[in-house]
Amino acid sequence: LRGNLELKTNIIVFTFKGQLDAFSEKQFKNFVTNNLKNECSLIIDLTKIDFLDSSGLGALVQTAKECKKLKLGFSVVGNSRVAQTIKLVRLGDFLNLKLTLEDALTYLKN
């Protein structure tokens, strides 16, 4: 798993490549947690993720809960495979799943 981040007007966009699974979940959580800023909403961009398992979903849910607690906006962007996995377990609404980064940015700005 490789992570990157970019700041776009009070929104942090985390981009990940590779696999978000039991082996990389801790790395994912550490990277996001270490780069959280109190006043910034965040987008987790998973469009370049090849594989997402239940551990990865758990990490996303924990991140979403943390953002709710801190009153930060949160959204996940996924490719068709990631989106299908998220919708299958009915977490689309909870994770504010969007199909494009533009949709997620628009959603968080409103």
Side-chain angles (χ1 to χ4, degrees):
L1 182 74
R2 285 199 307 264
N4 195 10
L5 69 105
E6 186 182 344
L7 188 58
K8 297 187 182 220
T9 350
N10 286 350
I11 297 173
I12 303 173
V13 180
F14 288 94
T15 310
F16 292 95
K17 280 182 185 163
Q19 301 185 340
L20 182 49
D21 56 16
F23 297 106
S24 59
E25 163 220 10
K26 191 175 186 132
Q27 184 186 352
F28 168 85
K29 284 198 290 207
N30 288 340
F31 185 70
V32 173
T33 308
N34 293 339
N35 291 293
L36 269 183
K37 306 224 180 331
N38 288 340
E39 67 286 348
C40 293
S41 296
L42 55 124
I43 295 174
I44 307 283
D45 183 347
L46 301 177
T47 50
K48 294 185 175 89
I49 286 288
D50 307 320
F51 179 75
L52 175 68
D53 74 358
S54 57
S55 300
L57 284 168
L60 290 173
V61 168
Q62 276 187 311
T63 306
K65 283 181 176 174
E66 188 66 25
C67 286
K68 273 196 171 108
K69 196 168 75 183
L70 298 170
K71 295 182 172 46
L72 301 175
F74 177 82
S75 184
V76 171
V77 180
N79 58 33
S80 57
R81 190 180 301 143
V82 167
Q84 188 179 12
T85 304
I86 290 172
K87 287 176 184 167
L88 192 70
V89 291
R90 299 201 172 122
L91 285 171
D93 290 342
F94 183 76
L95 296 174
N96 302 313
L97 179 66
K98 304 294 174 216
L99 297 179
T100 67
L101 184 55
E102 299 312 311
D103 289 350
L105 288 165
T106 305
Y107 167 77
L108 290 176
K109 283 176 183 165
N110 295 339

